[in-house]
């Protein structure tokens, strides 16, 4: 017996090659689609094909639809897809407790430090069940700090008020969760870092993107390195070129670096950030401080952390992710608002500019956050709403660690294991998955007539 495993989005299919099927039945079945390929993800693709084609969005679905059409599956799945879509729209969202198992509230991050007077930390109140995060708590949350002179919380945002330690409590109904916070360096003079803060603002606003001033030739005589990979060159371009008009330390509000992206003067790139926003504050205060340059001893980004790293959600749910930047000097900053986000599978979940995820369908997808030339990912799992007997998983033979991983993902997504595939099915899937083509008649006959195990 030969085994191979393929994971495509939410669909995990285990291929197994087993002898004992007659040549006639193999040849007949080779001409008809397997029931495994008619699972609900395929139906959903075919259902959305007209919208994909006319509106031009969701290319992954369009590609999947075309592949299904090439296999001859398109015409048989529309009715099933419509039934699934109607049922999903009618089903109300279930609370975390409804799935079974005791849930608890967890305040994320559970412990953190604010190391300069203008530091901030966004907080997320999360449900956890059996060690897994299962969704963001919704409702009217009451925030309380044990030491308001150390830290205050407003709308889920913690800001320092003085050095010390405190406990933040979040209450939702009769339940509560806590997080410990340490504030230090509040009394020290602070200046925004060009390398770690100003460059982050410009990258998030799109100023240093490839479509704007990060292009090879720049835009309108102003060139920045792509997404801020060269802070020294960017500093010179901002402070020394254009006769110094891009920054006016004596009157920061007159600086082109502020007037253009804030819409005070005409700007082809449009509004990038508003006056009074944290982004405007960073750039304005950096200019007012005398535009300090990037230094060789600046803390460098060591790694990124995404919180929560994995979450199990229901269809239609939303989830706020946090991005924490760990620097070489040991301090950690919340860079959630300055990270750039993408979704690897938008048929499962989409993500907004602030890191808030919206679940679109069942399956599994990755959310990627980019900050300062590093990336980090988090996993969003949306189990299918169907009854699967535990015996279906127990009966699946496990031969190696690959089978163990596949079985674990099938359980997590509530997908029943696929039945054992015959030789003709294995052959067709292997060819399509590896080279994108069906085997020739001679190749199929040679494989099916081969008696070797």
């Amino acid at each position: 017996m030969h085994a191979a495993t393929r994971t495509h989005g939410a669909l995990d299919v285990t291929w197994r090659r087993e002898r004992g099927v007659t040549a006639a039945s193999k040849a007949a079945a080779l001409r008809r689609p397997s029931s495994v390929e008619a699972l609900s993800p395929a139906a959903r693709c075919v259902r959305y094909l007209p919208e994909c084609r006319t509106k031009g969005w969701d290319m992954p679905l369009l590609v999947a639809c075309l592949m299904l059409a090439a296999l001859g599956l398109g015409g048989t799945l529309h009715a099933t897809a419509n039934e699934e879509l109607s049922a999903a729209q009618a089903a109300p969202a279930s609370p975390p407790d409804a799935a079974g198992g005791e849930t608890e509230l967890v305040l994320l991050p559970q412990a953190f430090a604010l190391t300069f007077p203008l530091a901030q930390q966004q907080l997320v109140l999360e449900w956890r069940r059996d060690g897994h995060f299962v969704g963001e708590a919704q409702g009217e949350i009451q925030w309380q700090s044990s030491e308001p002179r150390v830290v205050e919380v407003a709308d889920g945002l913690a800001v320092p008020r003085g050095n010390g330690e405190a406990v933040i409590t979040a209450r939702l109904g009769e339940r509560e969760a806590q997080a410990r916070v340490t504030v230090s360096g509040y009394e020290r003079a602070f200046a925004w870092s060009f390398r770690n803060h100003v460059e982050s603002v410009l990258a998030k606003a799109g100023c240093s993107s490839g479509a704007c001033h990060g292009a090879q030739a720049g835009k309108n005589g102003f060139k920045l390195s792509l997404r801020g990979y060269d802070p020294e060159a960017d500093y010179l371009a901002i402070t020394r070129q254009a006769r110094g008009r891009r920054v006016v330390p004596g009157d920061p509000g007159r600086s082109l670096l502020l007037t253009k992206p804030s819409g005070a003067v005409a700007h082809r790139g449009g509004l990038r950030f508003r006056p009074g926003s944290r982004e405007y504050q960073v750039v304005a205060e950096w200019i007012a401080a005398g535009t300090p340059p990037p230094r060789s001893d600046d803390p460098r980004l060591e790694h990124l952390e995404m919180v929560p790293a994995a979450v199990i959600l229901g269809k239609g749910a939303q989830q706020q992710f946090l991005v924490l930047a760990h620097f070489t000097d040991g301090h950690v900053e919340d860079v959630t608002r300055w990270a750039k986000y993408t979704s690897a599978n938008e048929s499962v979940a989409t993500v907004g500019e602030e890191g808030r995820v919206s679940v679109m369908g069942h399956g599994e997808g990755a959310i990627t956050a980019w900050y300062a030339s590093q990336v980090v990912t988090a996993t969003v799992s949306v189990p299918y709403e169907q009854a699967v007997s535990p015996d279906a998983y127990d009966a699946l033979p496990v031969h190696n660690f690959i089978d163990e991983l596949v079985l674990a993902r099938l359980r997590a997504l509530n997908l029943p294991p696929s039945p054992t595939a015959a030789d003709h099915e294995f052959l067709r899937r292997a060819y399509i998955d590896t080279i994108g083509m069906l085997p020739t008649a001679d190749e199929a006959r040679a494989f099916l007539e081969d008696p070797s195990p």
Side-chain angles (χ1 to χ4, degrees), residues 53-323:
R53 190 167 53 233
T54 58
K55 295 185 179 180
W57 46 255
D58 212 345
M59 288 303 297
L61 276 178
L62 179 57
V63 173
C65 295
L66 295 175
M67 292 179 64
L68 289 170
L71 292 173
L73 299 178
T76 63
L77 299 178
H78 285 278
T80 303
N82 287 327
E83 293 173 1
E84 293 177 2
L85 189 62
S86 300
Q89 291 173 341
S94 300
D97 291 306
E102 184 177 354
T103 59
E104 62 176 337
L105 278 178
V106 179
L107 186 55
L108 300 176
Q110 292 182 275
F112 60 95
L114 302 174
T115 56
F116 56 93
L118 296 179
Q120 295 180 348
Q121 176 62 60
Q122 188 172 350
L123 304 173
V124 173
L125 190 59
E126 191 79 8
W127 292 105
R128 183 169 62 187
R129 181 176 61 246
D130 299 330
H132 301 285
F133 292 110
V134 293
E136 186 177 352
Q138 303 293 332
E140 187 175 347
I141 301 173
Q142 297 179 351
W143 302 94
Q144 181 180 356
S145 171
S146 64
E147 295 289 345
R149 292 176 297 179
V150 174
V151 63
E152 291 183 351
V153 185
D155 297 327
L157 190 67
V159 293
R161 291 292 179 257
N163 293 335
E165 296 183 354
V167 175
I168 295 174
T169 302
R171 291 187 176 88
L172 182 63
E174 298 181 353
R175 302 201 188 190
E176 65 178 39
Q178 295 181 332
R180 301 192 65 85
V181 55
T182 301
V183 177
S184 61
Y186 189 79
E187 77 291 350
R188 292 198 299 264
F190 172 76
W192 295 106
S193 164
F194 180 83
R195 183 189 305 276
N196 296 323
H197 299 125
V198 177
E199 288 277 47
S200 300
V201 169
L202 298 178
K204 177 65 175 185
C207 304
S208 58
S209 69
C212 197
H213 299 289
Q216 184 175 5
K219 289 286 185 180
N220 296 329
F222 182 26
K223 174 173 171 36
L224 295 171
S225 63
L226 185 62
R227 291 192 172 186
Y229 75 87
D230 190 346
E232 288 77 11
D234 291 344
Y235 178 81
L236 292 176
I238 291 172
T239 61
R240 298 294 184 266
Q241 294 179 4
R243 300 180 181 178
R245 293 184 302 119
R246 293 187 179 126
V247 290
V248 183
D251 189 359
R254 294 175 52 211
S255 304
L256 290 178
L257 197 62
L258 285 173
T259 56
K260 284 202 169 185
S262 65
V265 299
H267 181 222
R268 280 190 174 183
L271 182 67
R272 310 315 300 173
F273 49 77
R274 298 183 180 278
S277 66
R278 188 167 175 83
E279 290 72 24
Y280 190 98
Q281 176 191 16
V282 168
V283 178
E285 292 184 359
W286 172 74
I287 295 173
T291 63
R295 303 182 320 208
S296 59
D297 61 347
D298 282 336
R300 306 300 177 96
L301 179 62
E302 193 171 67
H303 70 275
L304 295 174
E305 177 186 5
M306 211 161 174
V307 179
V311 64
I312 302 173
L313 301 174
K315 189 174 180 180
Q318 292 192 341
Q319 173 69 52
Q320 177 65 52
F321 282 92
L322 305 178
V323 180

Side-chain angles (χ1 to χ4, degrees), residues 23-35:
S25 64
K26 292 176 182 177
L30 183 61
R31 294 190 296 270
R32 63 176 183 267
S34 168
S35 60

